[in-house]
Amino acid sequence: MTFAELLEQVGSMGRFQIIHVTLLVLPILLIASHNILQNFTAATPGHHCHIQPEKCLRFISAQWQLLDPNATTTNGTEMDTEPCVDGWIYDKSVFTSTIITEWDLVCGSRTLKQMAQSIYMAGVLVGAIVFGSLSDKFGRKSLLISSCLQMAITGSCAAFSSNFSMYCVFRFLTGMALSGINLNCVSLSVEWTPTKLRAAVGMVTGYSYSIGQFILAGLAYVIPDWRWLQLAVSVPYFIFFFYGWWFTESARWLATAGKLNQALKELQKVARINGRKEEGDKLSVEDLRASLQKEMSSAKSTHTAADLVRTPSVRRISWCLCFVWFSTSFAYYGLAMDLQNFGVSIYLIQVVYGAVDIPAKLIGFFMISFIGRRVTQASALILAGLAILANIFVPQDLQTLRTLLAVFGKGCLAASFNCAFLYTGELYPTVIRQTGMGFVNTLARVGGIVAPLVQMTSEYLPSLPLIIYGAAPIVSGIATCFLPETRNMPLPDTIEDVERQ
């Protein structure tokens, strides 16, 4: 009897799975809010020097002659300028307060805005490395609970930061916690879901992220002060921390860790909730030992990150997924973190960016379910790259067309993310699944860190950022073609399973 057959015996996709998945997607709702929070908390409002109307410079001495319409010449020395030493006046018609206005991150300090986002993404990267390995050693449930608590505390502390350095430290820690939440929510969902319904659960998880973008736009519109907005998306994680104790640890992980007694208890608990108490009571440790020989034997060996490249098939999977995750995140954040340049309401653009995910992920779901993971992943990446590259040839004055192409590209990348989470969880075996998820998430966060830096290349060639953002997904789409298809395949439990497949 395989684990998939055990799941069928205790109720398949019953009441437990529905409640379990519902509670797991709630923390993911606000993950989007934290990832793109600085679109609002770090928005740059209109500003000018105190007294004088220039953004970054002021005249050293009063220029009364400029009031004379007949004046034709001026003294060069009298026209000398200096930085805004007396501070800035900010337009507060849209945002009453942001970290930009709080710490004057404009003019010579304007690059600190991008630095703050890169520091946050660096925290997400470190969290992917740390929590990916720890959850394979200590379990999904404990790491998820602790990550929710860390997110609640550090996110709230960021709202009370008294200076920019303190803000960056807490944002870094918040980013770490986000990785722990994301990785373990996905794993707990996948590992308790029957094979035939994994794609549907993946779609639900993906849509929760999309809905989170709507939530952020609404919250930011209602709460124009950055400190209160930061609190609004952080405090709910205290609630997630408290109800997280109800979660059921993955029986798959318990089996691979050699904890058969606890695995049996969890399976019987699931059977009871699903109304299959009698079937659950029939299970015994001996039954589990006989039916889960692969999981038990894998517990006798220690697995490390080196196993991601030790054998040929897993090594090929790891290399291809490196391209997929890096380029998806790289291009996604290149598009998603530059909303103010569209020239329209930032709230409207955020809603449109969230809305495009709905049809994109729905189409992706049907493709995943009926065509396959590999085709879906490759086509989403290649179409996104082509849409981004197409904007190079669209004139700047055709802003509507440029916006539509960007929105289409963003939708394709959202579908790519959705597929990648499911596909990666199915490609890696149980014994190194979290390590693998942590590894590819690391590459995704590197992409998120690098994305803002690419904008600087526009100083050399205006279209260079779009060329780079567009080329990366296309190359990754080609690399996806070398991955195996996993549609309707049982989850591999050991490295040997992957090699045989």
Side-chain angles (χ1 to χ4, degrees):
M1 183 185 297
T2 64
F3 185 80
E5 291 171 328
L6 284 177
L7 274 183
E8 292 293 336
Q9 184 173 333
V10 298
S12 186
M13 194 67 182
R15 187 185 301 116
F16 165 80
Q17 278 79 7
I18 294 172
I19 297 173
H20 195 63
V21 171
T22 300
L23 293 179
L24 283 170
V25 299
L26 290 179
I28 298 177
L29 281 173
L30 293 181
I31 283 181
S33 299
H34 281 276
N35 275 341
I36 55 178
L37 185 62
Q38 282 198 190
N39 274 335
F40 301 97
T41 60
T44 303
H47 57 278
H48 60 82
C49 289
H50 190 67
I51 300 177
Q52 297 185 19
E54 294 297 320
K55 280 190 174 183
C56 297
L57 295 173
R58 70 170 195 173
F59 294 115
I60 293 177
S61 58
Q63 304 297 309
W64 301 111
Q65 72 277 8
L66 296 179
L67 298 176
D68 183 1
N70 298 319
T72 57
T73 60
T74 57
N75 185 297
T77 303
E78 291 178 353
M79 293 289 288
D80 286 345
T81 59
E82 64 181 356
C84 302
V85 294
D86 293 326
W88 289 263
I89 302 288
Y90 295 97
D91 178 5
K92 296 187 177 182
S93 61
V94 179
F95 302 98
T96 59
S97 175
T98 70
I99 66 169
I100 305 299
T101 63
E102 184 88 15
W103 297 303
D104 290 330
L105 305 182
V106 293
C107 300
S109 300
R110 64 184 181 276
T111 56
L112 294 179
K113 171 182 175 178
Q114 283 74 29
M115 182 186 294
Q117 179 66 17
S118 292
I119 289 173
Y120 166 77
M121 295 304 296
V124 179
L125 185 154
V126 173
I129 298 172
V130 173
F131 292 122
S133 296
L134 288 180
S135 59
D136 274 340
K137 292 181 179 179
F138 301 107
R140 285 51 163 146
K141 177 180 175 179
S142 59
L143 266 295
L144 175 58
I145 292 172
S146 61
S147 295
C148 284
L149 181 60
Q150 180 176 328
M151 174 71 87
I153 294 174
T154 58
S156 299
C157 288
F160 295 101
S161 300
S162 58
N163 55 66
F164 180 70
S165 297
M166 183 184 297
Y167 170 80
C168 288
V169 169
F170 285 122
R171 283 286 285 167
F172 177 87
L173 295 173
T174 299
M176 284 188 65
L178 180 138
S179 279
I181 294 168
N182 207 18
L183 289 171
N184 290 288
C185 281
V186 170
S187 287
L188 279 175
S189 297
V190 168
E191 292 176 356
W192 275 113
T193 301
T195 303
K196 62 180 182 293
L197 292 171
R198 288 202 302 262
V201 170
M203 185 186 73
V204 171
T205 302
Y207 271 129
S208 66
Y209 188 91
S210 301
I211 294 171
Q213 297 180 57
F214 288 106
I215 293 174
L216 176 61
L219 286 174
Y221 184 80
V222 174
I223 310 173
D225 185 281
W226 79 269
R227 292 184 185 273
W228 286 106
L229 181 57
Q230 177 76 41
L231 275 176
V233 298
S234 300
V235 170
Y237 281 94
F238 282 112
I239 299 173
F240 305 147
F241 164 73
F242 286 117
Y243 80 58
W245 294 97
W246 178 86
F247 287 134
T248 301
E249 182 58 270
S250 167
R252 280 184 178 273
W253 176 82
L254 290 170
T256 59
K259 301 179 180 180
L260 283 181
N261 286 323
Q262 190 175 345
L264 176 62
K265 290 180 181 178
E266 301 292 21
L267 284 167
Q268 290 174 336
K269 172 185 173 182
V270 171
R272 186 172 63 254
I273 295 174
N274 283 341
R276 297 283 189 89
K277 186 177 184 301
E278 291 184 2
E279 287 81 352
D281 291 339
K282 292 176 183 178
L283 295 175
S284 66
V285 173
E286 288 71 23
D287 293 331
L288 289 179
R289 185 175 290 109
S291 60
L292 300 174
Q293 282 296 324
K294 289 188 301 181
E295 287 84 345
M296 289 181 60
S297 61
S298 67
K300 297 178 182 177
S301 58
T302 301
H303 296 280
T304 65
D307 289 306
L308 297 175
V309 294
R310 183 172 55 84
T311 57
S313 294
V314 177
R315 180 165 58 245
R316 184 177 71 252
I317 289 170
S318 296
W319 280 115
C320 291
L321 289 177
C322 280
F323 285 99
V324 170
W325 282 83
F326 174 85
S327 63
T328 301
S329 178
F330 173 69
Y332 183 93
Y333 287 106
L335 294 176
M337 293 302 297
D338 202 25
L339 301 187
Q340 282 190 292
N341 284 340
F342 282 95
V344 296
S345 169
I346 189 173
Y347 305 107
L348 176 62
I349 290 297
Q350 183 61 67
V351 170
V352 171
Y353 260 23
V356 73
D357 286 6
I358 296 175
K361 290 180 177 178
L362 185 61
I363 294 171
F365 166 71
F366 286 115
M367 289 184 66
I368 286 171
S369 301
F370 299 106
I371 300 177
R373 281 60 159 157
R374 179 170 54 193
V375 173
T376 305
Q377 189 73 71
S379 54
L381 285 166
I382 293 173
L383 285 173
L386 291 175
I388 295 171
L389 290 176
N391 252 336
I392 298 173
F393 307 100
V394 179
Q396 290 288 339
D397 55 340
L398 297 178
Q399 196 62 49
T400 301
L401 179 57
R402 293 180 64 84
T403 302
L404 287 174
L405 286 171
V407 169
F408 176 77
K410 193 265 183 183
C412 290
L413 292 168
S416 176
F417 258 132
N418 212 35
C419 183
F421 270 108
L422 175 65
Y423 200 13
T424 303
E426 293 178 336
L427 286 168
Y428 281 122
T430 302
V431 292
I432 58 169
R433 182 166 296 121
Q434 283 301 88
T435 301
M437 291 292 288
F439 171 67
V440 296
N441 266 272
T442 298
L443 272 297
R445 302 318 160 196
V446 171
I449 293 170
V450 174
L453 304 179
V454 170
Q455 288 290 347
M456 298 170 61
T457 63
S458 62
E459 296 181 7
Y460 305 100
L461 180 66
S463 61
L464 189 55
L466 290 178
I467 293 173
I468 299 173
Y469 287 140
I474 292 175
V475 172
S476 299
I478 296 171
T480 302
C481 297
F482 296 93
L483 290 170
E485 180 56 63
T486 60
R487 187 172 73 98
N488 294 331
M489 298 288 289
L491 281 179
D493 290 309
T494 66
I495 294 174
E496 290 71 24
D497 287 344
V498 176
E499 296 301 319
R500 280 195 297 271
Q501 291 175 359

